[in-house]
Amino acid sequence: MGNVQSDAYGNHLSRFLCEEQSDIDGVFDVLSGQGSAAGAKSEKSTKRAVTVSMLQAYVQKALPEPMVVRLYNGLKSIELAGKSPALSGQFVKEQFVIFMSALLRGNAEEKSSILMRMISETGKTVKGRQIQEFAEDLITSVVHVLNFRNELQGWTLKNTRHSTSGVTVLASQLISELKPADGKRISGVQLADAVCDRSSIEDWVFRVPQISVFLTVIIQQGLHVLHSLQDQAKDTINVVPRCKGVKEGVFVSLLDIPSIMYINCHLPSELQHKWKLLFSSQVHGESFSQLCGHIVNKGPCILVLRDLDGYIFGGFSSHSWEVKPQFQGDNRCFLFSSSPSLAVYTDSGYNDHYMYLNHGQQTMPNGLGMGGQHDYFGLWIDSNYGIGHSKAKPKCTTYNSPQLSAAENFTLDAMEVWAVGDLPESTEAKGKRSILDVDPEAQALLEMTGKSSHSVGLRDQNDAADDDG
């Protein structure tokens, strides 16, 4: 029996490199009250047990208490060959290692048995509402621990929308992928009472990668294990992108942290590491010319809008915006909704009407659009800044998206645009050129009509902002 136990322990331990094993040993030593001087390699160390109060004392305020209890339930639920019933209310080092191995290195099947006990301490089945509560605790804990460890990458809880509603809508989005035990896809009120078994959780974890990513963040940052090793850092580095171009106290994003995490994970991987603010109506004013001046030739962007009814939505443009009467972009573009629901809508393959930006023409629509067709866009901001539409009956042809705004024709309350990823050097140089640089006749015409050259000042400000980061 002892050999079986040792073999299982050894197999799980072998998934970690030597320096990772040493880090895990050190964390368990502190957890179990041994400290580094007690000799982690001793036979005694593998038999020391940890209670929930000891786990809470170790974690302190890094994680909310409900998540600490869920982690504890998952840890002590791991069955060991020859385990004494007296230890059922505690966990030992072997369980700790298997827990790490399963949730950080394991497949969906390995994770599902532990998650079942993290969702509900008792029972072989769980209900949809219990999974919703678990998902909300999971997301809340990710935001909490990243904030606690100063790992929000330049975002703060003050320069973003409050996360409470974002936690709920992201959790609802994640469990919308859930298939109950009978295999029938349901949603809404029905899902709350739906019965799910271990195979349902296994399928859910397999198809929703954010679950594993969020668990990794909580374990590494919450338990402070494997968090500083270079090979591990890359696993979670792009959960929240670096935030650039925001001055503290001047700007509050229309998005909350959960929405930022969800939208970011749908971007091409090479663009997930950084968002830089290009335009904000609250900072730069409500002007279509200002909007165009700040986003043209700036690389891939995220557009975020809020209408007067409080609906928040937008789109990802895979290419630099260009002012021209033709559609642009490619099938990486998408539309999204952030509030009151959270969802991403990707290319349908029906047409290539991904992006459109035109200004100053009499024969073609003037404004910014994504998806659909002229005068019937999935997302449209008119060049007469302040009005737009989201026409999608029954769905936007390009993205299969529904109506994103509260009303088909909406009034714009606020807008912001983020450049994502790094600008190529050629694009950055091109973006620094003002229309006054390209067309000196335009500058002369402004001076002749007695109008000030506003873009000269704006250009200087933009250059300074670029230099800042």
Side-chain angles (χ1 to χ4, degrees):
M1 185 70 70
N3 290 335
V4 174
Q5 185 174 348
S6 298
D7 288 345
Y9 177 76
N11 289 337
H12 283 284
L13 197 60
S14 67
R15 287 177 166 177
F16 299 102
L17 300 174
C18 290
E19 61 178 353
E20 294 172 334
Q21 293 179 20
S22 177
D23 193 52
I24 291 171
D25 285 346
V27 169
F28 187 81
D29 288 345
V30 177
L31 260 174
S32 61
Q34 275 189 291
S36 58
K41 301 282 186 187
S42 69
E43 179 69 22
K44 184 179 178 182
S45 70
T46 63
K47 299 183 182 302
R48 287 185 70 98
V50 177
T51 64
V52 66
S53 60
M54 294 166 70
L55 180 61
Q56 183 68 69
Y58 170 79
V59 172
Q60 296 183 343
K61 295 183 179 180
L63 291 173
E65 185 176 352
M67 181 51 64
V68 176
V69 173
R70 290 186 188 277
L71 291 173
Y72 170 72
N73 289 338
L75 281 157
K76 71 186 182 69
S77 72
I78 296 171
E79 296 182 2
L80 301 177
K83 176 184 174 183
S84 170
L87 293 177
S88 60
Q90 303 168 324
F91 64 87
V92 295
K93 185 173 183 179
E94 186 174 353
Q95 289 170 301
F96 185 69
V97 170
I98 294 174
F99 180 87
M100 294 291 161
S101 170
L103 293 190
L104 298 181
R105 297 285 199 273
N107 56 32
E109 181 181 3
E110 290 177 89
K111 294 174 183 177
S112 63
S113 61
I114 297 176
L115 287 183
M116 284 290 290
R117 290 303 182 94
M118 290 179 67
I119 294 169
S120 175
E121 188 179 1
T122 59
K124 296 182 178 180
T125 60
V126 292
K127 289 195 173 182
R129 65 168 59 90
Q130 293 175 298
I131 304 173
Q132 171 83 25
E133 291 170 359
F134 167 75
E136 290 180 7
D137 279 351
L138 189 66
I139 299 160
T140 298
S141 298
V142 169
V143 176
H144 179 95
V145 75
L146 290 177
N147 182 58
F148 183 83
R149 302 290 189 200
N150 296 316
E151 295 286 349
L152 280 180
Q153 305 274 43
W155 303 94
T156 70
L157 301 185
K158 292 182 179 179
N159 70 14
T160 55
R161 197 163 145 262
H162 198 278
S163 293
T164 302
S165 61
V167 167
T168 303
V169 296
L170 177 52
S172 297
Q173 170 59 32
L174 296 182
I175 71 165
S176 68
E177 297 292 331
L178 195 63
K179 290 182 181 179
D182 59 11
K184 295 179 181 179
R185 293 290 294 272
I186 56 176
S187 60
V189 177
Q190 290 179 311
L191 185 56
D193 291 320
V195 176
C196 299
D197 57 13
R198 178 176 165 178
S199 65
S200 302
I201 301 301
E202 180 182 339
D203 176 74
W204 184 51
V205 172
F206 178 77
R207 289 187 299 104
V208 184
Q210 289 90 351
I211 304 301
S212 295
V213 172
F214 291 167
L215 282 168
T216 299
V217 171
I218 288 170
I219 292 169
Q220 291 185 356
Q221 296 294 339
L223 300 182
H224 239 213
V225 60
L226 307 181
H227 68 287
S228 60
L229 302 180
Q230 189 171 2
D231 289 341
Q232 293 299 315
K234 64 184 180 182
D235 291 343
T236 59
I237 194 169
N238 291 333
V239 173
V240 180
R242 280 189 294 133
C243 174
K244 292 288 186 178
V246 173
K247 292 184 178 180
E248 192 70 32
V250 176
F251 169 82
V252 178
S253 177
L254 300 173
L255 296 174
D256 49 46
I257 300 297
S259 296
I260 292 166
M261 293 191 300
Y262 187 71
I263 294 167
N264 195 59
C265 78
H266 286 82
L267 297 177
S269 58
E270 69 273 15
L271 303 178
Q272 293 179 359
H273 62 285
K274 181 173 72 175
W275 289 22
K276 180 177 180 180
L277 185 67
L278 295 179
F279 172 82
S280 164
S281 57
Q282 60 182 289
V283 175
H284 302 105
E286 299 179 348
S287 162
F288 192 77
S289 295
Q290 281 277 7
L291 170 63
C292 292
H294 282 82
I295 71 173
V296 168
N297 297 322
K298 294 295 186 180
C301 296
I302 293 284
L303 289 77
V304 189
L305 292 72
R306 182 175 65 204
D307 65 20
L308 283 181
D309 292 290
Y311 279 48
I312 300 173
F313 50 94
F316 163 63
S317 57
S318 59
H319 287 61
S320 286
W321 287 98
E322 297 181 49
V323 179
K324 60 182 182 181
Q326 293 87 32
F327 285 98
Q328 47 196 294
D330 62 25
N331 61 6
R332 296 177 299 166
C333 295
F334 59 76
L335 293 178
F336 65 86
S337 171
S338 173
S339 180
S341 62
L342 181 61
V344 165
Y345 306 99
T346 56
D347 172 44
S348 68
Y350 183 83
N351 58 36
D352 60 358
H353 298 176
Y354 304 111
M355 303 161 51
Y356 177 90
L357 179 61
N358 201 28
H359 191 36
Q361 289 205 358
Q362 294 182 350
T363 57
M364 300 290 286
N366 292 311
L368 183 152
M370 295 188 70
Q373 59 191 36
H374 294 314
D375 301 320
Y376 208 86
F377 284 90
L379 172 61
W380 173 256
I381 305 164
D382 199 84
S383 61
N384 180 14
Y385 186 89
I387 60 174
H389 70 244
S390 178
K391 296 183 178 181
K393 293 181 178 178
K395 295 288 180 69
C396 169
T397 53
T398 310
Y399 298 109
N400 272 336
S401 55
Q403 178 180 303
L404 302 174
S405 48
E408 188 175 83
N409 296 293
F410 64 84
T411 300
L412 186 61
D413 180 45
M415 180 177 180
E416 63 195 45
V417 183
W418 299 86
V420 293
D422 294 314
L423 284 177
E425 290 184 10
S426 58
T427 303
E428 190 171 346
K430 187 176 180 181
K432 286 180 181 286
R433 298 182 68 193
S434 164
I435 187 173
L436 303 180
D437 298 321
V438 177
D439 188 1
E441 291 183 14
Q443 183 175 3
L445 182 60
L446 284 172
E447 293 172 353
M448 288 172 60
T449 57
K451 295 183 178 179
S452 59
S453 302
H454 292 293
S455 68
V456 173
L458 292 171
R459 176 181 53 197
D460 294 340
Q461 294 174 18
N462 290 342
D463 289 352
D466 287 341
D467 293 338
D468 289 341

